[in-house]
Amino acid sequence: MGVSTLNIIKIGGNVIDNEQDLNDFLEKFSALSGKKILVHGGGKIATRLAADLGIEANLIDGRRVTDAEMLKIVTMVYAGLTNKSIVSKLQNLNCDALGLSGADGDTIRTMKRPVKDIDYGFVGDIMHDSINTASIKKVLEAGFVPVFSAITHNGIGQLLNTNADTIASALAVALADLYETSLIYCFEKNGVLRDVKDENSVFERINAKDFEQLKKEGVIHTGMIPKLQNAFDAIRKGVKHVYVGNANNLHLFQQSHFGTCLVAK
């Protein structure tokens, strides 16, 4: 009997912020066959709610500083409103989703980020043994579709805000021992672009050597570099493929024509 395939799909905040885009994406996600996991970010709802409550959002280099009050907000929004809204929409599409934080079923334990130059507050960093593969396997084998928010825990009662891209990558690496795993990052671009002004200039395939060369040439730069570094790290650790592409095109994934495919060689 062959190894089952598993697709782990991360959806970004820009799609979550637009209800029609989110509905379109979830239709495509629900139609994907086989085992799958959805990981979602938070979007801008947490920032807006914090402002309404007089709590100032503090971002440093795009990373949210999560003090005690902001942790309450992101937990309510990410693990509550956003997660359960997505789950209810998937149920309407006959996709039997189960909304989870990392605390549920002890699925994802993280460590509070150590204070160095900056105190990020209640932010969780993934460790080598963060993912409880046994718990997640039970959920998958029972026929449920896990939907993970970006809230984890430290195992001693503290919730932590954790980067959703990193959660998706860690899930893919850990579960690659059990399933033939692909990791798919969905956002608003059609893939990794040769020319950022031309949505059709998509690289269909990039290997690790290409990546280093494209960085030197300045074709891949700024925010795309850490995303792709995480992707190639996942490939080195056993993930079969990593894809980067437009959420609107997810229906093309199982036809082998979706965004940019990242491979080892």
Side-chain angles (χ1 to χ4, degrees), residues 107-152:
T107 45
I108 308 173
R109 284 194 190 197
T110 55
M111 175 184 72
K112 185 175 180 291
R113 182 171 297 168
V115 177
K116 294 180 182 175
D117 296 334
I118 299 167
D119 183 357
Y120 282 100
F122 295 99
V123 167
D125 284 338
I126 294 281
M127 303 171 289
H128 73 281
D129 59 350
S130 282
I131 307 300
N132 184 340
T133 53
S135 274
I136 297 169
K137 183 182 180 185
K138 286 178 188 175
V139 174
L140 289 167
E141 296 301 327
F144 293 108
V145 175
V147 178
F148 278 101
S149 66
I151 300 296
T152 60

Side-chain angles (χ1 to χ4, degrees), residues 44-121:
K44 295 173 183 159
I45 300 171
T47 303
R48 289 197 297 267
L49 180 57
D52 290 345
L53 296 173
I55 299 166
E56 186 177 349
N58 185 8
L59 297 171
I60 299 175
D61 295 330
R63 293 175 182 263
R64 187 185 294 278
V65 176
T66 308
D67 62 16
E69 291 305 306
M70 186 56 75
L71 181 66
K72 293 176 187 176
I73 299 286
V74 296
T75 301
M76 285 189 288
V77 174
Y78 298 173
L81 179 63
T82 300
N83 186 264
K84 299 313 173 194
S85 294
I86 288 171
V87 168
S88 66
K89 289 173 186 289
L90 287 172
Q91 295 293 355
N92 183 51
L93 294 164
N94 298 313
C95 177
D96 204 358
L98 191 64
L100 299 169
S101 72
D104 295 299
D106 191 23
T107 45
I108 308 173
R109 284 194 190 197
T110 55
M111 175 184 72
K112 185 175 180 291
R113 182 171 297 168
V115 177
K116 294 180 182 175
D117 296 334
I118 299 167
D119 183 357
Y120 282 100

Side-chain angles (χ1 to χ4, degrees), residues 178-236:
L178 302 177
Y179 304 98
E180 191 176 286
T181 305
S182 292
L183 173 61
I184 304 131
Y185 287 110
C186 287
F187 64 152
E188 66 277 6
K189 298 289 184 184
N190 286 338
V192 181
L193 305 178
R194 185 175 290 279
D195 178 357
V196 291
K197 295 176 183 175
D198 181 2
E199 278 292 332
N200 296 315
S201 64
V202 177
F203 289 100
E204 288 189 10
R205 196 175 180 89
I206 297 176
N207 63 31
K209 186 176 177 183
D210 296 332
F211 175 50
E212 294 304 322
Q213 184 59 37
L214 291 166
K215 277 196 298 182
K216 283 181 188 173
E217 294 172 7
V219 175
I220 294 174
H221 53 86
T222 57
M224 190 58 77
I225 290 176
K227 190 181 284 286
L228 296 193
Q229 282 174 332
N230 278 339
F232 282 109
D233 185 51
I235 288 168
R236 282 192 295 273

